[in-house]
Amino acid sequence: IIAKHGKLAPRLCNKDPYTALWLPTIKRMYPNSKFILMIRDARAVIHSMIERKVPVAGYNTSNETEMFSKWNQEIRKMTFQCNTSSGQCIKVYYERLIQKPQEEIQRITNFLDLPYSDKMLKHHELIGGEVDLNDQEFSASQVKKAINTAVLTSWFDCFSDETLGQLDVIAPFLRILGYDTSTAKPDYSVFADDDFYQFRNVYS
Ligand SMILES: Nc1ncnc2c1ncn2[C@@H]1O[C@H](COP(=O)(O)OS(=O)(=O)O)[C@@H](OP(=O)(O)O)[C@H]1O
């Protein structure tokens, strides 16, 4: 998969959530590999798959409840794989990344042992030059924009009260990961708090 993503390079990167299900195998093949598990509110993830018609294996977009339940199954396995890859995997919360981009990108570069550059905050200005985008990526049109918080709440008012009301049962990992499931309009500013990492539990 990685071979056909681009030219040979000192560091090979692969952006695909399902990579997280194969960590033991990839770690055996590439002992120096590092992993970033990107976590996002399942309500936004599922809204995104439905709205943008992104085909993701195993998700039936005509059944929301089934999608939440599938997300729960997958994220549970991914979190387990990340937690048992001591030193080789970090979790990055989308809601924090876009609200505190500098802090989070520095956290990522520290983890990767790479130098931080302010240019990383301005990737959109470098597209076509230092940054090469693959237009076949589903998200290429959004990645062209500056880091922004516009889509944080795009899922608001898109799910039925019935679906939202049963999330703790069908997708309990959402709450375990620190998302407020008690309201249809959660306040994401808590993800930008300075003490955010102090209150993450073993799963999150
Ligand atoms: N620059 C910038 N700032 C803020 N947010 C951004 C940015 N670039 C991408 N995005 C959002 O990331 C979502 C796409 O994620 P993925 O690339 O993992 O999805 S996919 O590969 O297209 O399935 C997608 O979320 P949704 O809009 O909810 O679908 C994008 O809006």
Side-chain angles (χ1 to χ4, degrees), residues 38-178:
M38 173 76 86
I39 296 173
R40 187 182 183 191
D41 190 323
R43 293 163 289 196
V45 171
I46 288 162
H47 172 259
S48 173
M49 281 189 232
I50 297 172
E51 273 304 294
R52 295 199 293 115
K53 302 185 173 59
V54 181
V56 183
Y59 284 86
N60 169 7
T61 49
S62 59
N63 188 330
E64 285 174 4
T65 313
E66 220 178 271
M67 289 181 87
F68 278 105
S69 158
K70 176 85 180 157
W71 173 89
N72 195 76
Q73 256 176 37
E74 307 287 31
I75 199 77
R76 193 172 62 83
K77 290 186 221 158
M78 291 174 184
T79 310
F80 173 78
Q81 294 294 351
C82 189
N83 286 347
T84 50
S85 301
S86 171
Q88 272 180 283
C89 182
I90 58 164
K91 301 185 193 93
V92 173
Y93 285 75
Y94 173 76
E95 293 80 5
R96 184 166 174 84
L97 176 67
I98 58 173
Q99 293 185 89
K100 289 269 171 183
Q102 185 170 0
E103 281 90 333
E104 278 307 287
I105 293 173
Q106 278 173 346
R107 188 172 153 258
I108 293 169
T109 50
N110 282 345
F111 165 69
L112 297 175
D113 280 325
L114 288 174
Y116 167 78
S117 160
D118 276 336
K119 280 188 185 173
M120 293 169 174
L121 293 170
K122 298 181 186 150
H123 70 281
H124 56 289
E125 291 175 5
L126 306 169
I127 291 171
E130 281 178 69
V131 175
D132 196 12
L133 268 193
N134 182 344
D135 271 328
Q136 289 187 3
E137 261 288 322
F138 274 91
S139 51
S141 62
Q142 295 134 337
V143 175
K144 283 176 185 160
K145 297 179 195 158
I147 299 172
N148 66 83
T149 56
V151 303
L152 262 188
T153 59
S154 54
W155 64 268
F156 284 12
D157 299 320
C158 292
F159 295 106
S160 67
D161 289 344
E162 196 195 345
T163 302
L164 295 180
Q166 49 182 355
L167 286 183
D168 289 346
V169 178
I170 53 177
F173 243 70
L174 190 54
R175 201 149 75 90
I176 292 173
L177 289 170

Side-chain angles (χ1 to χ4, degrees), residues 22-36:
W22 295 96
L23 293 206
T25 308
I26 301 172
K27 280 193 294 187
R28 268 202 309 277
M29 293 168 74
Y30 300 98
N32 298 327
S33 54
K34 291 192 175 176
F35 304 90
I36 296 170

